[in-house]
DNA sequence: CACGATTTGTACGTATGTATC
DNA sequence: AGATACATACGTACAAATCGT
C-alpha cells in the first residue's frame, strides 16, 4: 500500500504548458491573423530558450485545438477561427465578477434546456442518479469538497438525463470552471444557510423533472442559477 | 510569389494524430475509469510500434484536453470527467441524423440566447458586421462555399454582438461542425429556393435585433433553426 | 525541370528530477 | 538509504515535404 495521492490531479508545472499557453493566447488575442505564418520551430526555441522537444510538445497542443496547422516542409500557420476543434473558456478576465457573469450567461440557457429535456426524457436510472447526487449533497458537511462535488454531479446527472451526449460533455466540461466559482462563493459568503437554500432549490428542480414538467424544471433551474449568480455578486445580501 | 495554397488547411496525416485519437477515444468510451493508470510510455511505444517521440506527442494532446494527467516519476492517469479542460463534439454517431439532431439540440438554446443578448447590447459596429454577412450571403451564388461561409459569419456576428467572448468562441467552434451539416443539406436537397428562404429568415432575425427586440430575435432564431434542422431530416418535404 | 536550402516529422541516445518500493 | 521505474528535457541525426532559384 502507498500514500496514494489522487493521481488524477495535475503534476508539477511543465515548460511546454506555459509556452503553449503563451503562444495560444497571443493568437487568440488576435496578434496574428488567419493564415499568417508563425516563427519556425528553431526560432521559437531561441525565443523561449528551450529545446525543440519542448517547442514541439507545445505546438502539438495548439494543433490539437485546431488553432494552428503545420505543413511539413513549409511551416506553421494560424487556422481560420471557424476551424477550431475545441472550445475552452478564456482565462484572462479583468475581474472575477466579469468572469462569473460571462460564464453564467452561457451556462443558463444550456442548463435550462437540459432541465427541459431531462424532464421529458428521463428514465428511472436517470432519476435515481439525480436523486443520489441530491442526497449526497444533503449528507455532506456544509460546503465541504464532497458537497461541491455532489452539487456538480447533480447538474451533470440532469445533463445525462437529456440522453444527448453533448449536454453531458458540456456540463462535465463546465464543472471544472464552476468548481472554482463555488469555492469563491463559499469563501466570500461564509453563510451556512446557503447550503439549505441550494438544497431546497435543487429539490424543486428534481420534483419538476420527476413529474415530467419541462417548463417547471426550466423555471426552477433558472431561479436557481439566478440565485447562484447574484450570490456571487452580492455575498452579503440575504435572499 | 508562389502557388500559395491555403496554409490554414490541414496537412498530411501524422502518426501522433491517429494514436492520440485512438487512446482518447478508448478513454472517452469508458474503457478506463477515472484514476486508472495507463500503460507506460515504453509500453505504448511497443504497442503501437513507434518511437517515444511520437507517443509523447500523442499524449501531449490528450493532456492538453485534460483527459489524462501525467505525474513525473509515477505514470499516466486518466483524469476525472469534471477536470476536462476542453469541449469537443463526439464524432462517432450511429447516423448522420442523430448527429445533426444532437448538435442542433445544443445549438438552439445557445443561439436563441445569443440573439436575445445581441438585440439588447449591439452597437453600430455589431449591426454593420451582421448586415455585411447578410449582404454577402445574398450576393453569393446558391450554396457556394462563399455562401456557406457568409451564413456562418452571420451567426458568428450575432455572437460577437453579445459582447460575451464565450458566445463568440462557442459559435466559432460550432462553425466547423455546422459547415459539414450545411454541405450535407445542400447535397441532399438541391432546391435553389432554400437560399431564398434562408436569406428571408436571416432578414427577420436581423430586423428584430436592429429594433432591439430580444424576444422577437430569439423567436426568429428559433424558427430559423427549426427550419434548418427539419430541412435536414426531410429534404424532399417543402416548407 | 532540377537542385539545394529550409522546415517540419520521426527516431534515438543521454541526462536529470521525481515518485515509489 | 538505496534501488528502480518513470516522466521531463536536451541534443543529434535523418527522412519527407516545400519553396525559391
Amino acid at each position: 500500500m502507498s500514500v496514494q495521492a489522487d493521481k488524477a490531479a495535475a503534476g508539477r508545472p511543465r515548460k511546454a504548458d506555459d509556452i503553449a499557453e503563451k503562444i495560444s493566447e497571443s493568437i487568440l488575442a488576435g496578434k496574428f491573423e488567419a493564415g499568417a505564418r508563425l516563427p519556425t520551430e528553431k526560432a521559437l526555441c531561441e525565443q523561449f530558450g528551450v529545446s525543440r522537444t519542448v517547442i514541439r510538445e507545445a505546438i502539438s497542443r495548439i494543433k490539437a485545438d485546431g488553432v494552428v496547422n503545420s505543413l511539413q516542409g513549409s511551416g506553421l500557420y494560424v487556422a481560420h477561427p471557424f476551424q477550431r476543434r475545441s472550445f475552452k473558456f478564456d482565462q484572462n478576465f479583468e475581474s472575477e465578477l466579469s468572469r462569473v457573469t460571462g460564464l453564467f450567461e452561457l451556462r443558463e440557457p444550456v442548463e435550462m434546456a437540459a432541465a427541459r429535456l431531462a424532464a421529458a426524457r428521463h428514465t428511472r436510472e436517470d432519476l435515481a442518479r439525480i436523486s443520489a447526487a441530491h442526497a449526497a449533497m444533503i449528507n455532506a458537511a456544509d460546503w465541504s469538497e464532497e458537497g461541491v462535488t455532489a452539487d456538480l454531479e447533480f447538474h451533470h446527472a440532469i445533463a445525462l438525463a437529456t440522453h444527448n451526449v453533448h449536454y453531458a460533455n458540456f456540463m462535465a466540461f463546465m464543472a471544472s470552471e464552476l468548481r472554482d466559482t463555488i469555492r469563491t462563493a463559499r469563501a466570500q459568503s461564509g453563510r451556512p444557510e446557503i447550503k439549505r437554500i441550494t438544497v431546497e432549490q435543487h429539490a424543486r428542480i428534481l420534483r419538476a423533472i420527476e413529474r415530467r414538467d419541462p417548463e417547471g424544471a426550466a423555471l426552477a433551474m433558472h431561479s436557481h442559477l439566478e440565485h447562484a449568480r447574484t450570490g456571487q455578486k452580492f455575498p452579503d445580501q440575504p435572499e
Side-chain angles (χ1 to χ4, degrees), chain A residues 29-192:
Chain A
K31 267 190 76 173
F32 302 91
E33 61 183 19
R37 184 167 176 231
L38 270 68
T40 67
E41 293 184 353
K42 201 167 68 176
L44 290 171
C45 290
E46 294 168 2
Q47 181 179 338
F48 290 98
V50 294
S51 76
R52 201 170 154 220
T53 309
V54 176
I55 291 295
R56 280 194 64 80
E57 189 147 348
I59 291 175
S60 168
R61 298 170 186 218
I62 308 175
K63 280 194 289 187
D65 290 340
V67 174
V68 299
N69 288 312
S70 61
L71 266 79
Q72 186 171 351
S74 177
L76 198 67
Y77 302 86
V78 330
H80 295 296
F82 289 176
Q83 281 189 314
R84 221 147 284 174
R85 275 195 298 266
S86 82
F87 175 71
K88 296 184 176 182
F89 284 121
D90 226 326
Q91 291 302 341
N92 31 347
F93 276 90
E94 57 272 14
S95 71
E96 177 66 15
L97 170 59
S98 69
R99 188 187 144 264
V100 172
T101 303
L103 178 61
F104 271 63
E105 217 163 71
L106 179 62
R107 180 192 181 186
E108 191 182 284
V110 174
E111 289 225 62
M112 283 179 68
R116 241 185 292 263
L117 293 171
R121 298 178 183 170
H122 72 83
T123 65
R124 264 187 312 253
E125 290 78 25
D126 295 325
L127 208 60
R129 191 161 34 222
I130 301 172
S131 298
H134 187 56
M137 187 167 171
I138 292 174
N139 292 332
D142 281 17
W143 294 109
S144 64
E145 203 59 31
E146 291 78 28
V148 177
T149 300
D151 192 335
L152 296 173
E153 269 168 359
F154 179 84
H155 289 270
H156 187 242
I158 292 174
L160 283 171
T162 65
H163 293 266
N164 180 336
V165 288
H166 299 330
Y167 277 95
N169 286 339
F170 193 72
M171 194 59 224
F173 161 64
M174 277 197 297
S176 60
E177 288 284 318
L178 292 174
R179 189 182 287 273
D180 293 342
T181 302
I182 294 173
R183 280 212 204 88
T184 306
R186 161 176 51 164
Q188 282 181 350
S189 70
R191 295 180 304 161

